[in-house]
Amino acid sequence: MSDLLLGVVPDAPIQLVDQMVERSGGVPLYAVEMMRMLLDRGAISPRPDGTFAMSSEVDDVDIPDSLHGLVGARLDQFDPEARALIADAAILGQSFRLESLLAFRDDDPEDLRGALDGLVRTEVLSLNRDPRSPERGQYQFVQSIIREVAHDRVSRADRLRLQIGRAHV
């Protein structure tokens, strides 16, 4: 795990690497999500060779104890509109179409597409662009755990409201 982390961020402080190794329990997905969180916070930045460089001090980075906690902390970094969009998408399922979200959100289609594309850039979602795929044009969560954590954070009343709204579409 240390080699994996140092291969991605060669100049990472050893105390950060040790902390991530300890918390990850050997689960690579934890390390990947931790890297995404550091990237979202601006603590690391991409290099031309595909690795990342430390961009700021990480002494104050609170590394959650669990993968669920890590994903939750990452989702908390988004602004309220993005968090609401992620929550609505999570109600729809692991994958969904733009039109499905538009059915119960009061958004301009182009604004919504732009917001979804922003979530693709931050690697919360991906977009199937394969012209041969029947799922072409569908957005999906890059990891099912991201959807699971986002879904679990939606109140029961809101889940019911969104599911009823979806049933009438």
Side-chain angles (χ1 to χ4, degrees):
M1 186 64 78
S2 293
D3 291 343
L4 170 72
L5 294 169
L6 288 170
V8 176
V9 187
D11 62 342
I14 196 66
Q15 64 271 23
L16 175 65
V17 172
D18 289 346
Q19 195 176 14
M20 289 174 61
V21 168
E22 179 184 326
R23 296 280 170 87
S24 72
V27 178
L29 180 55
Y30 186 98
V32 168
E33 286 303 318
M34 184 65 201
M35 290 298 154
R36 286 180 175 147
M37 187 173 83
L38 291 173
L39 185 61
D40 291 345
R41 289 183 179 180
I44 60 174
S45 57
R47 291 179 170 166
D49 67 359
T51 63
F52 293 84
M54 296 302 302
S55 321
S56 66
E57 294 295 319
V58 290
D59 296 335
D60 61 346
V61 172
D62 182 28
I63 300 177
D65 290 331
S66 69
L67 184 54
H68 277 79
L70 177 60
V71 171
R74 184 167 177 240
L75 293 176
D76 287 344
Q77 294 178 171
F78 289 96
D79 64 52
E81 290 94 25
R83 284 195 310 267
L85 177 56
I86 293 166
D88 289 350
I91 297 301
L92 289 175
Q94 182 64 27
S95 63
F96 56 91
R97 293 195 173 278
L98 171 72
E99 296 78 15
S100 300
L101 274 174
L102 285 170
F104 61 89
R105 287 183 59 95
D106 191 26
D107 292 315
D108 174 77
E110 287 308 309
D111 290 344
L112 184 57
R113 185 180 319 277
L116 290 170
D117 289 345
L119 294 174
V120 168
R121 282 189 299 280
T122 59
E123 297 183 2
V124 170
L125 300 175
S126 63
L127 176 61
N128 187 327
R129 292 183 170 98
D130 184 349
R132 299 164 293 175
S133 173
E135 287 86 30
R136 181 175 184 216
Q138 285 191 11
Y139 291 89
Q140 66 182 27
F141 286 89
V142 295
Q143 298 289 342
S144 60
I145 194 163
I146 296 173
R147 182 210 169 246
E148 180 182 322
V149 170
H151 183 273
D152 289 349
R153 290 172 157 220
V154 178
S155 74
R156 190 176 177 144
D158 284 342
R159 283 196 301 255
L160 185 60
R161 177 185 54 82
L162 293 172
Q163 289 171 341
I164 289 171
R166 186 173 68 177
H168 287 51
V169 173

